[in-house]
Amino acid sequence: MAKVVVLGAGISGHTAVMVLRKKLGKKHEVIMVSPNSNYQWIPSNIWVGIGQMKPKQVIFPLAPVYKRKGVNFKQAIAKTIFPEGDTAITNPFVEIEYVEEGKKGQKEKVEYDYLINATGPKLNFAATEGLGPDGHTVSVCTYGHAAHAWEKLQESLDKMAKGDKQRFVIGTGHPMATCQGAAFEYALNVAFEINKRKLMHLAEITWITNEYELGDFGMGGAFIKKGGYVTSTKIFTESIMAEYGIKWIKRAGVKKVEEGVIHYETLDGEESTIEFDFSMLIPGFAGVGINAKNKNGDDISAELFAPNGFLKVDADYTPKDFDNWSIKDWPSTYQSPKYENIFACGIAFAPPHSISKPFKSKKGTPIFPTPPRTGMPSGVMGKVVALNVAESVKSGKTSVKHKASMGKMGAACIVSSGYGLRDGMAATMTVYPVVPDFEKYPEWGRDLGYTVGEPGLAGHWMKLFMHYMFIYKAKALPGWSLIPE
Amino acid sequence: MIRKPIAKGYKDEDYPPIPTRTNRFMRKFWPYQIIRFFVLNLKIMRIIVGGHS
Ligand SMILES: Cc1cc2nc3c(=O)[nH]c(=O)nc-3n(C[C@H](O)[C@H](O)[C@H](O)COP(=O)(O)OP(=O)(O)OC[C@H]3O[C@@H](n4cnc5c(N)ncnc54)[C@H](O)[C@@H]3O)c2cc1C
């Protein structure tokens, strides 16, 4: 009997655990360690943040699903990995701490044959003074944050209804933050809601971003066919912003937030401020802070994890100039080079470098987006890792024949505003591959047949459809495995 | 759709392309959007399936 432990019931880890359960017989144990009792479909948090959905519509309890499927669920936080065991236990194990009522604070050593780390990001609000729900801005990164954002947004909408002007600032809250797509979507939704109430004349909406140009999205932008031209996503994104009445500040690294004031530095080294009444800024991401120790109890975290806290996998981490970057640097099996029975998928793996060109301001501050690992690639990685682990368990020998590199994978980002079948509008963006491949596509870096930017109701329907479809899939209801990641 | 009247230019937000009335109509025209719904779904399916082995 083998024991497979998955850390983190997010898009990537939940996919992995369900695939493992499907592929492995009941004699093998599949364990999920995750602190939240609920699964959350994060993309729909945007709708929670504008009051179109209640938090309960984007979540469901995990325990009944795992019970039905035979997954051993431990509502806990993974603290330390012991890949070689310790002086008392010879098998590898992970030390966890329960957060579940009744067991809170209890520790346990969970042994494993294979370990999959899918713990996603730590929302690093602390890296920017005054940022986040405990500071002066709101967030939509969790359903709790999104519900709080809606409360704050309502206060501004109420003030506008009484005739007061309001300033909205939405974007990235750290010089190296990623997830621009989510912030962009929220900005459009806020504009849509204000316009719906016919209050646009009282609103000043500003998009603040660390991107060199709008439409970079941490992927170095993309090129799409539009109106008889191949145009950049810069034009596409700026056009949407202008249409929605949103101004922008680009190449800006937010460094500090005070009550009603954001301090930022731009690439030309200038320090500026912008005042706000309502602000939603995405924090920087880091690894969740899991440690690693060897048999003797010495800290080996630096051997397993990159300095940003994400787990090192089969990527080429050799520092290289931007011009020498290649899709070959990107991992495809997500296996730790140090321990062959440890894997990391989704946001938890350490990317070899950014996808966008790294820039430093005149004062030396790095201001550029780190690479996004969006939902679709995170799900695919979870599946591929689970398939390799399941086959390794069955054959008794570790093998990694299933592969999925971000240099060969596509991603879809649907930025949708409004709600309902007739009311909404979306900008659908797909890129293929995520990491541009200038060897295969020398001119544009990507396949122009599958790299698309298109506004319209169709994308909005897709977003709604995906909400119900992916929650159905995550609940492991009949036919779930036929729904793609 | 929501654009405020601007005519004088000289600000970043005054230069991007703005959709014409026909373009805006097509974005909401159900028969066309139903076709686009299937086309976009097919493209996404293709990039998911092609993305891993
Ligand atoms: C508002 C918003 C909108 C988005 N919209 C889209 C979209 O439209 N399309 C798209 O493709 N992507 C979208 N994304 C990105 C997408 O949500 C992420 O790419 C995806 O959630 C990453 O999956 P993951 O499993 O790696 O991490 P997560 O989903 O963050 O899951 C990580 C899990 O690990 C758990 N965990 C954390 N620490 C520990 C620990 N120490 N031990 C055990 N478990 C732990 C967490 O509780 C969580 O359950 C959006 C993101 C946001 C914030």
Side-chain angles (χ1 to χ4, degrees):
Chain A
M1 186 194 97
K3 257 187 170 187
V4 184
V5 175
V6 180
L7 310 177
I11 293 179
S12 207
H14 186 67
T15 306
V17 109
M18 298 320 280
V19 172
L20 281 164
R21 201 55 293 177
K22 185 167 185 293
K23 296 280 169 189
L24 289 176
K26 294 282 179 217
K27 66 175 183 192
H28 302 294
E29 194 180 2
V30 178
I31 301 170
M32 167 58 85
V33 175
S34 197
N36 198 326
S37 60
N38 293 310
Y39 180 83
Q40 62 168 329
W41 177 244
I42 296 180
S44 297
N45 284 349
I46 299 291
W47 284 323
V48 176
I50 50 150
Q52 294 289 1
M53 275 193 181
K54 298 264 175 266
K56 65 171 192 290
Q57 289 171 275
V58 303
I59 60 173
F60 65 82
L62 281 166
V65 178
Y66 286 154
K67 192 170 172 214
R68 177 161 45 87
K69 286 286 157 189
V71 175
N72 183 355
F73 178 41
K74 295 175 187 287
Q75 201 192 329
I77 296 177
K79 291 282 194 188
T80 310
I81 304 172
F82 290 79
E84 303 159 5
D86 64 7
T87 45
I89 302 176
T90 50
N91 284 338
F93 67 89
V94 52
E95 190 170 62
I96 65 167
E97 187 177 312
Y98 281 91
V99 292
E100 174 187 347
E101 279 313 312
K103 278 186 163 181
K104 211 171 179 156
Q106 271 182 37
K107 291 199 172 137
E108 186 183 328
K109 291 173 179 175
V110 184
E111 293 179 37
Y112 65 81
D113 295 291
Y114 288 93
L115 178 72
I116 301 174
N117 176 14
T119 46
K122 166 176 144 188
L123 303 172
N124 202 3
F125 294 109
T128 310
E129 192 185 326
L131 188 77
D134 294 330
H136 308 287
T137 59
V138 299
S139 149
V140 285
C141 293
T142 69
Y143 58 86
H145 289 172
H148 170 247
W150 169 231
E151 277 170 30
K152 291 282 172 197
L153 181 61
Q154 267 174 302
E155 287 172 19
S156 281
L157 293 172
D158 289 346
K159 284 184 188 155
M160 289 164 84
K162 288 183 192 131
D164 291 351
K165 286 202 167 177
Q166 292 286 289
R167 296 153 301 179
F168 299 83
V169 181
I170 298 170
T172 49
H174 185 270
M176 290 175 74
T178 183
C179 216
Q180 282 74 14
F184 178 41
E185 188 173 12
Y186 193 62
L188 298 193
N189 274 279
V190 168
F192 190 94
E193 290 301 313
I194 295 171
N195 187 60
K196 200 167 80 184
R197 291 166 174 80
K198 304 204 172 1
L199 295 169
M200 208 58 190
H201 58 292
L202 293 170
E204 188 177 308
I205 312 176
T206 308
W207 167 250
I208 187 163
T209 179
N210 55 1
E211 297 157 295
Y212 189 80
E213 293 293 355
L214 267 60
D216 180 283
F217 295 117
M219 307 177 302
F223 289 94
I224 51 178
K225 284 188 194 157
K226 218 118 225 83
Y229 289 83
V230 175
T231 65
S232 154
T233 44
K234 164 187 154 76
I235 309 286
F236 177 71
T237 313
E238 288 184 353
S239 170
I240 293 171
M241 291 286 191
E243 194 187 340
Y244 276 70
I246 303 172
K247 301 189 292 184
W248 58 87
I249 301 168
K250 60 188 179 185
R251 303 173 194 174
V254 170
K255 296 175 98 178
K256 187 165 108 174
V257 186
E258 290 174 319
E259 180 71 52
V261 190
I262 293 164
H263 296 256
Y264 64 93
E265 180 186 336
T266 48
L267 271 184
D268 54 20
E270 227 175 85
E271 305 266 358
S272 306
T273 58
I274 177 165
E275 295 183 2
F276 67 92
D277 300 293
F278 173 93
S279 176
M280 196 298 291
L281 299 177
I282 300 276
F285 288 173
V288 295
I290 299 176
N291 299 312
K293 287 188 177 168
N294 68 9
K295 213 169 179 55
N296 305 320
D298 305 323
D299 196 305
I300 53 162
S301 305
E303 292 172 40
L304 228 72
F305 296 95
N308 55 14
F310 296 119
L311 203 134
K312 286 193 261 185
V313 291
D314 61 316
D316 182 353
Y317 294 105
T318 324
K320 292 177 192 166
D321 288 339
F322 177 69
D323 290 335
N324 297 328
W325 289 356
S326 143
I327 60 153
K328 295 189 193 85
D329 304 337
W330 287 78
S332 61
T333 66
Y334 306 92
Q335 184 181 32
S336 160
K338 180 120 177 94
Y339 298 100
E340 63 168 26
N341 60 346
I342 299 184
F343 295 81
C345 51
I347 295 179
F349 87 84
H353 44 67
S354 64
I355 305 173
S356 304
K357 186 171 179 170
F359 286 97
K360 267 190 185 166
S361 76
K362 284 192 178 148
K363 290 185 174 161
T365 312
I367 303 178
F368 62 93
T370 39
R373 277 86 91 207
T374 54
M376 203 165 114
S378 296
V380 173
M381 284 175 222
K383 180 176 178 182
V384 160
V385 166
L387 289 174
N388 283 330
V389 169
E391 282 171 24
S392 303
V393 166
K394 284 191 198 159
S395 68
K397 191 172 164 288
T398 305
S399 75
V400 285
K401 66 173 202 260
H402 297 276
K403 296 191 169 57
S405 157
M406 279 177 51
K408 295 211 166 81
M409 247 189 275
C413 178
I414 304 175
V415 177
S416 172
S417 61
Y419 188 69
L421 280 180
R422 282 194 304 168
D423 257 2
M425 176 57 58
T428 306
M429 285 177 282
T430 62
V431 286
Y432 184 71
V434 180
V435 181
D437 181 352
F438 286 99
E439 278 163 37
K440 194 162 176 197
Y441 310 105
E443 224 176 338
W444 309 107
R446 296 194 175 94
D447 184 332
L448 291 191
Y450 290 100
T451 302
V452 178
E454 183 173 316
L457 256 184
H460 179 69
W461 294 335
M462 281 163 69
K463 187 96 186 183
L464 267 178
F465 177 59
M466 283 181 185
H467 168 87
Y468 293 105
M469 186 175 74
F470 285 122
I471 289 184
Y472 182 93
K473 178 178 166 81
K475 285 182 176 169
L477 292 169
W480 69 270
S481 61
L482 300 173
I483 301 172
E485 283 61 48
Chain B
M1 180 170 53
I2 305 171
R3 193 173 160 80
K4 289 179 185 175
I6 19 169
K8 298 210 170 123
Y10 299 100
K11 287 190 254 90
D12 275 353
E13 60 270 26
D14 299 337
Y15 292 96
I18 296 297
T20 57
R21 194 183 290 192
T22 317
N23 184 312
R24 292 206 308 263
F25 171 78
M26 291 308 280
R27 289 182 192 176
K28 297 224 167 200
F29 185 51
W30 279 53
Y32 179 66
Q33 289 301 322
I34 288 169
I35 297 167
R36 296 311 298 162
F37 178 80
F38 287 106
V39 171
L40 290 170
N41 267 306
L42 274 175
K43 283 190 193 257
I44 292 178
M45 289 289 275
R46 165 73 185 81
I47 62 181
I48 298 176
V49 175
H52 57 95
S53 59

